[in-house]
Amino acid sequence: MRNIFFTVLCVLLFAASVQADEADEVQVMLKGKIDAVMVLLQDKAVDKSRRNEQITAILMPLFDYHAMSRLSLGKKHWPTLSQEKQEEFSDLFIKRLQKSYLDKLDIFTDEKILYEEPVIAGKKIHVPTILVSKGSRIEMLYKFYRSRKGWKIYDVEIGGVSVIQTYRSQFDGVLSEGSIDDLLEKLKTDGVFVIPAPEVAEARSGTD
Amino acid sequence: MKHTTHTASAKFLFLLILQALLLGGCAAHSPAVHKPVASTAQEETIAPQEAISPEEDEGVFDLEDEFEAADVEPPVDPLSGYNRVMTQVNDKLYFWLLKPVSQGYSFVVPEGGRLAVGRFFNNLLMPVRFVNNLLQLKLKRAGTELARFGINTTVGVLGFGDPAAKSFDLQAYPEDFGQTLGHYGVGGGFHIVLPLLGPSNLRDTLGLIPDYYLDPVSYINDSKTELAVRAYRQVNHTSLHIGEYESLKKDAIDLYTFLRDGYEQRRIKQIEE
């Protein structure tokens, strides 16, 4: 009887340490990929579009873009779309995400990236990093979950702001007033935003 | 004797298992031992309404809980009309005035110099951070702020250098009065976009008043000089962050709601810390 208890105890303790090990492994994996990306980013001589392709190829396996697309629309909207629309949306959204992420790395990493202890958050693993750039420190948190294909990123928080959450509320806003086609249209017009407000008389305030 | 140790260890184990169940933590790694836990906690989270999803969708909607919890009702936004207009005004002010001026300035002053100036102004703002850390009873952080000020003002030559961070690994702990209020449970209130300063809310706008009095620049006697110093501080800051707003803007489907939600999310996180 006692033996069984001890076996159970050992297995439980083992399981806990395995999870801690896994968190470390995830961090090491992330660090390896990001280090490779940093090398490419700091090489200003390389052609930018080719460089970006290489970076995307390195990072691609880290992210679960499919999950990110679904989460950004949520239970509320994703299931209501036809499969074609889902795919079209995913394509556009993923491109946008990749571009935006590259942009952020490019801007905020002129010095270095610091890695903090990974955190086990329930069934997820959070890997906090700090981008040191021009005297300021920007926290970038990578959130991993266990997918069928191993640990994958499903969300990134930059300075405490969740990328998925932000898109989620924006998409919800668009979809509550319009259709999925409106949203797709907005995603296509890359980097162009619309402020649906009456045009203001030119801002002619004094200098400051 | 043997009996008692037995029950004690059984009790201990019971607690341990209970804990494991509650946390759902180590479930997946030892399927042989507690299979039932594994099935509820980790794998096989089926999204019943889904037929489309291929195999990798396992547990994606399980993740959704996290976001659903944070989904808030569209916030009460009585000033949204004004806010949208002011967002656009600030946008124009940035592109037409602040950015070109800052670019010109950064053309003349090398980055190292601008970084030093930034550190100098940052050092001067110590009272804001110190007092607000103190008000939140974050005594250790308040102490760090004092130590940083002491080191950087002397060894760091009036704050132009930051040896406190470089040699002593003492980092600044930014706090403001809005965060102090938030720390004691004051909600943000409705969102306000301030001219020049950008997104804020009722609480944080009120918080600017005490912070104003903690900012040494406010004690410059001549109001023209004070304004000039403030403008210079802003230009110097902007010169180091050109491109960030532009990049952020690209993420926006609707700039105003994007900036609003981002601001409120960030403030919640800052207050939590």
Side-chain angles (χ1 to χ4, degrees), chain B residues 121-131 142 145-146 148-149 214 216:
Chain B
F121 279 122
N122 217 19
N123 189 50
L124 275 184
L125 283 171
M126 180 280 288
V128 177
R129 296 186 295 266
F130 171 71
V131 169
E145 280 297 337
L146 273 189
R148 276 180 53 82
F149 185 74
L214 291 168

Side-chain angles (χ1 to χ4, degrees), chain A residues 135-149:
Chain A
S136 46
R137 300 154 68 89
I138 296 113
E139 283 172 42
M140 206 166 195
L141 179 73
Y142 294 88
K143 301 201 271 188
F144 287 83
Y145 86 111
R146 182 199 293 281
S147 79
R148 277 248 174 125
K149 294 173 185 162

Side-chain angles (χ1 to χ4, degrees), chain B residues 33-53:
Chain B
V33 182
H34 38 236
K35 194 108 190 264
V37 183
S39 68
T40 49
Q42 184 84 37
E43 315 282 66
E44 304 305 328
T45 313
I46 303 150
Q49 71 272 49
E50 284 299 306
I52 328 131
S53 42

Side-chain angles (χ1 to χ4, degrees), chain B residues 147-179:
Chain B
R148 276 180 53 82
F149 185 74
I151 295 167
N152 286 345
T153 308
T154 54
V155 186
V157 193
L158 297 178
F160 284 106
D162 190 356
K166 282 219 169 86
S167 314
F168 299 91
D169 196 32
L170 293 172
Q171 302 296 340
Y173 290 109
E175 293 284 349
D176 54 55
F177 199 73
Q179 288 181 60

Side-chain angles (χ1 to χ4, degrees), chain A residues 59-79:
Chain A
L59 293 173
M60 210 45 183
L62 275 181
F63 291 86
D64 187 338
Y65 289 117
H66 189 75
M68 293 174 104
S69 306
R70 289 181 64 151
L71 289 168
S72 71
L73 284 184
K75 257 182 217 163
K76 190 171 158 195
H77 299 297
W78 178 266

